Amino acid sequence: MRHQVEMQTEEFQRLFFEMKDKLYRFSLRIVRSTDVAEDVVQEVMIKLWTKRNSMEGIENIHGWLMVLARNLSIDKIRSKHHATGSLETAFYVADSEIKPDKHAEQSDLMQQIDAAVQQLPETQRIVFHLRDVEGMTYKEIGEIMEISLDNVKVNLFRARQKLRKLLKQVESYGIS
């Protein structure tokens, strides 16, 4: 009796809609370009579709997709230097109820946060994004980043500490 897991079209579609935004935000955090992040998500999903008939070796498909997105994003950065996107682009939520002055304040704050996040070392920046933006567990982050649980905690602690310091400087001195 042959045990082979084969992904059906419905399962692929469900997984695509479940993961596309998370993969996009994650890739965007690395490549800093909306077009390149979209390309990465497309490549990840193409890879998933081509491997749909041989998924039995993959225990955590969500983790596998995130690792694949990370690797492809890093490859894109290494192959070309891309224009930077903004944190605001990654997290913008259209809301017609927000008044223009509030929107401007939120936009300024997002730009300040984005500038502070960009000052973090790459590992801290990615760990911060996966935990505080994507809401992933330490274990999932460790698997994706291929680092120990302790290393995840240390990087997250240092990232938060540095962001707090940078944002306090901005608030106190108006420095960006």
Side-chain angles (χ1 to χ4, degrees):
M1 178 178 225
R2 198 171 117 196
H3 179 70
Q4 181 173 347
V5 178
E6 186 174 318
M7 182 177 290
Q8 301 298 319
T9 305
E10 296 82 24
E11 174 68 10
F12 174 81
Q13 289 174 339
R14 183 194 63 74
L15 194 56
F16 172 79
F17 288 113
E18 183 180 318
M19 292 295 295
K20 70 181 175 81
D21 292 339
K22 184 180 277 193
L23 292 168
Y24 173 78
R25 288 188 307 267
F26 180 51
S27 179
L28 183 63
R29 173 65 32 216
I30 298 169
V31 299
R32 313 284 298 148
S33 165
T34 57
D35 292 338
V36 175
E38 289 171 358
D39 289 346
V40 166
V41 172
Q42 184 175 352
E43 288 178 40
V44 167
M45 289 303 166
I46 288 171
K47 184 113 176 168
L48 175 63
W49 183 251
T50 59
K51 291 196 170 277
R52 73 187 182 281
N53 295 328
S54 58
M55 301 297 289
E56 68 271 356
I58 301 172
E59 291 180 27
N60 179 354
I61 194 141
H62 292 97
W64 180 77
L65 290 171
M66 294 298 284
V67 168
L68 188 57
R70 182 200 67 188
N71 292 343
L72 286 171
S73 296
I74 291 170
D75 287 348
K76 297 281 184 187
I77 287 175
R78 287 180 181 154
S79 67
K80 295 178 184 174
H81 294 292
H82 300 287
T84 59
S86 71
L87 187 65
E88 186 176 12
T89 304
F91 306 108
Y92 177 74
V93 177
D95 187 348
S96 58
E97 299 295 315
I98 296 178
K99 294 179 180 162
D101 60 327
K102 280 288 185 197
H103 180 69
E105 279 180 32
Q106 288 176 347
S107 181
D108 289 345
L109 177 60
M110 291 303 289
Q111 288 173 357
Q112 291 170 347
I113 293 170
D114 187 44
V117 168
Q118 290 313 305
Q119 294 181 40
L120 296 173
E122 181 181 1
T123 301
Q124 289 178 15
R125 188 172 61 243
I126 294 171
V127 168
F128 172 79
H129 177 83
L130 291 174
R131 179 67 182 164
D132 290 343
V133 176
E134 299 300 337
M136 296 182 127
T137 66
Y138 294 126
K139 183 180 179 202
E140 290 171 324
I141 295 167
E143 290 171 0
I144 289 167
M145 296 296 297
E146 298 173 347
I147 57 178
S148 71
L149 199 58
D150 288 337
N151 216 348
V152 170
K153 292 176 183 178
V154 166
N155 276 287
L156 183 60
F157 174 78
R158 289 180 181 164
R160 288 174 176 166
Q161 194 174 36
K162 185 166 185 173
L163 286 173
R164 197 173 299 117
K165 179 182 171 191
L166 290 169
L167 292 172
K168 280 183 182 180
Q169 284 179 334
V170 168
E171 186 178 300
S172 298
Y173 305 109
I175 302 170
S176 55

